[in-house]
Amino acid sequence: MGEEITTTGFTPADKARFADRLAEETGIARRLYEEDGFSRDGHMVGFEIETWIVDHNYAPSSINQNLLETLDHPLVVPELSRFNLELNCPPFRLTGDALTQAHESLTRLWATCNDVAHQLDANLVLIGTLPTIRDSDLTLANMSPLNRYYALNQEVLRLRGGQPLHVNIIGRDRLASVHKDVMLEAATTSFQIHLKAPADLAHLYYNASVAASGPILAACGNAPFLFGRALWEETRIPLFEQAVKVPGPARVSMGSDYATRSLIEIFEENLRDYDALLPMAFDDPPEAMRHLRLHNGVIWRWNRPLIGFDESGAPHLRIEHRILPAGPTFIDMMANAALYLGLARTLAMSGDGAGGLSFNDAKRNFYSAARFGLDAKLNWPGVGQIAADRLLLERLIPDASAGLRDLGVAEEGFLDIIEARVRTRQTGAAWQRKALEARGGDLYGLMAAYCERQRSGAPVHQWEI
């Protein structure tokens, strides 16, 4: 839902027109797929990174509009809150040194953004949840001034009959919070991987992305705290799921099942099962599928199918892998990407795309990994129940390495970083917990140390406490 809209409210006529266009465009997507109209071009990869803006006391700094205006860069765009930004990199063909190229592109952009932030007496930080954020920071006063965000808030509350949103997370501690708006979503920042695949393989990569999500997340946690409470290793997961909860099927979820024959099934499920949250009527031709894409943009599956367009104008299918947190460093995030891309390739080429893992087991694995990280017990075909660290070391990291070779992607030591992180058992979340304990519970001291080590660029498994 990255595009702006022209209104914050919708009439019954808007909703009727949107419903008609959504049905028409979903039918067009099905027809294009059946007629081989989607791109079969090779694999490509792109990235989005959500970042925090903080002041020198490590509190959120609500200056994204000033920063964006000063920066004036097409790859840096606003997020829901005034203290977040989104950084993007252009897509790379998934071969050779693509990951190294992406790493260099993103780090250059990051340096440019931070230079501007420093001019405005602020810093940028990559972290899944900000330990120093307060419940009182998450108010409409800190919402970015864009129609799509105000409309989203209004429609979520309308669907809830005006009832506030309740967050209840039980982890190491327990958090209960009540909000009269959707701003809790702004407390979660992620690293999102876009994998474009040939249309006839896209549903297999979708299934593989779902199946791989649990063990990948176990190795990548970086969001253990919220409002001073120690919760899940990846607190972003339950927080985001509860932050936009409305009647009907969950807006944020693992989805309902694997795809069987094509990704179009997921868009057909969107049409069938989900009310339009932002029923903005456009005048674009139906072939642009703008209503379909907007509707899909406010259904936040952790692995989300997308329809886009190549430079040639040809439609394509891709998967947005949304499970990963921002940070701790760019080298860590590229290592996470290597694990995902390699493992997705190996699984996608294995029959049903899921390597024989049932959807229910994939779902259980995901939530267990989000809560317990490397201590999670996961289920895996041919193995049964196994500790997440053992599964990664003995089977999945080698599988990811084989997948990268199959794609022709240079490994460049990225998977060595994953292996070292798992062997040392020092994810970003584990480091944060140990560092906070060493500082007597001082969240600001934790953030000072975190930012210092992030600036070093060293992978998190090398960070000293």
Side-chain angles (χ1 to χ4, degrees):
M1 65 159 295
E3 69 175 332
E4 180 60 318
I5 59 177
T6 59
T7 185
T8 60
F10 307 101
T11 67
D14 289 331
K15 296 174 183 179
R17 184 179 177 205
F18 188 92
D20 289 344
R21 287 294 300 271
L22 180 60
E24 181 183 8
E25 292 170 14
T26 305
I28 287 172
R30 168 56 68 184
R31 175 176 56 77
L32 280 169
Y33 185 83
E34 298 295 342
E35 295 176 356
D36 204 19
F38 281 98
S39 171
R40 285 182 177 242
D41 193 16
H43 304 72
M44 298 191 75
V45 66
F47 303 98
E48 300 175 35
I49 302 175
E50 297 164 351
T51 179
W52 293 86
I53 311 168
V54 299
D55 63 22
H56 292 298
N57 293 317
Y58 307 104
S61 182
S62 302
I63 62 166
N64 72 347
Q65 295 302 304
N66 291 344
L67 203 158
L68 287 162
E69 290 168 7
T70 306
L71 185 65
D72 191 24
H73 198 296
L75 294 177
V76 185
V77 297
E79 268 292 333
L80 174 62
S81 83
R82 293 175 183 262
F83 43 74
N84 294 131
L85 289 176
E86 180 187 293
L87 280 62
N88 297 269
C89 77
F92 292 90
R93 193 160 294 280
L94 193 53
T95 189
D97 64 348
L99 293 177
T100 297
Q101 289 185 58
H103 180 245
E104 292 171 353
S105 174
L106 285 165
T107 52
R108 283 195 301 269
L109 181 59
W110 177 253
T112 300
C113 292
N114 246 323
D115 285 345
V116 174
H118 295 161
Q119 295 171 29
L120 298 172
D121 210 28
N123 293 289
L124 303 183
V125 181
L126 299 165
I127 194 167
T129 53
L130 185 68
T132 51
I133 196 169
R134 301 165 302 175
D135 205 337
S136 58
D137 293 318
L138 296 168
T139 68
L140 291 182
N142 278 325
M143 180 179 281
S144 289
L146 294 172
N147 288 335
R148 68 178 185 261
Y149 296 134
Y150 291 115
L152 173 67
N153 184 69
Q154 178 176 293
E155 290 301 298
V156 166
L157 292 178
R158 181 186 65 80
L159 289 172
R160 293 182 57 84
Q163 293 300 307
L165 291 141
H166 293 260
V167 168
N168 190 353
I169 303 172
I170 300 173
R172 285 178 162 82
D173 299 329
R174 179 174 180 177
L175 172 68
S177 182
V178 179
H179 269 251
K180 295 180 180 179
D181 52 58
V182 299
M183 285 296 289
L184 281 166
E185 179 189 336
T188 69
T189 45
S190 62
F191 169 55
Q192 297 164 18
I193 305 171
H194 288 246
L195 173 59
K196 176 192 161 190
D200 59 324
L201 300 178
H203 69 292
L204 299 177
Y205 279 104
Y206 173 76
N207 295 348
S209 300
V210 172
S213 289
I216 291 172
L217 192 61
C220 303
N222 195 34
F225 301 119
L226 184 66
F227 305 151
R229 308 291 177 86
L231 301 167
W232 291 19
E233 296 295 90
E234 262 304 308
T235 300
R236 292 178 314 114
I237 304 303
L239 179 60
F240 191 15
E241 291 192 349
Q242 296 178 39
V244 287
K245 193 171 184 179
V246 296
R251 288 276 165 174
V252 187
S253 73
M254 284 294 281
S256 61
D257 208 340
Y258 295 130
T260 55
R261 293 182 176 83
S262 82
L263 272 189
I264 307 304
E265 297 161 19
I266 311 300
F267 297 102
E268 291 169 338
E269 181 182 277
N270 290 352
L271 171 67
R272 182 180 66 246
D273 294 347
Y274 286 89
D275 292 333
L277 197 55
L278 297 179
M280 178 74 197
F282 301 108
D283 293 325
D284 302 60
E287 291 73 19
M289 295 180 276
R290 198 169 175 187
H291 301 80
L292 177 152
R293 290 185 289 133
L294 178 60
H295 185 51
N296 186 58
V298 287
I299 302 168
W300 297 273
R301 292 180 181 87
W302 291 112
N303 293 280
R304 178 162 62 182
L306 299 175
I307 291 177
F309 293 88
D310 294 344
E311 289 185 358
S312 66
H316 68 246
L317 294 168
R318 68 183 190 269
I319 293 92
E320 182 185 31
H321 189 60
R322 302 173 49 83
I323 72 166
L324 295 167
T329 63
F330 279 95
I331 198 70
D332 283 307
M333 290 187 290
M334 286 301 111
N336 297 346
L339 178 62
Y340 163 63
L341 294 166
L343 189 51
R345 174 65 177 184
T346 294
L347 289 171
M349 296 299 101
S350 66
D352 63 357
L357 184 70
S358 74
F359 180 81
N360 285 337
D361 277 343
K363 190 173 177 179
R364 280 191 289 267
N365 286 349
F366 177 68
Y367 291 107
S368 180
R371 182 165 184 178
F372 299 110
L374 290 172
D375 289 331
K377 298 292 189 293
L378 307 179
N379 292 305
W380 203 255
V383 178
Q385 190 174 85
I386 184 172
D389 55 352
R390 279 191 57 207
L391 177 62
L392 285 156
L393 293 171
E394 295 174 9
R395 185 157 177 173
L396 300 189
I397 294 174
D399 282 353
S401 180
L404 291 179
R405 287 196 302 274
D406 195 33
L407 286 167
V409 175
E411 201 171 304
E412 311 231 30
F414 290 119
L415 290 179
D416 292 341
I417 290 171
I418 298 293
E419 181 175 352
R421 190 192 304 158
V422 175
R423 289 194 185 280
T424 60
R425 300 182 62 79
Q426 185 155 293
T427 62
W431 183 89
Q432 286 186 57
R433 286 189 287 100
K434 289 183 288 187
L436 184 65
E437 183 179 3
R439 287 158 181 79
D442 178 3
L443 292 170
Y444 298 93
L446 164 66
M447 282 306 302
Y450 182 95
C451 291
E452 179 185 356
R453 285 152 183 76
Q454 185 171 94
R455 284 191 293 270
S456 78
V460 72
H461 72 270
Q462 295 178 0
W463 289 12
E464 295 180 356
I465 301 302

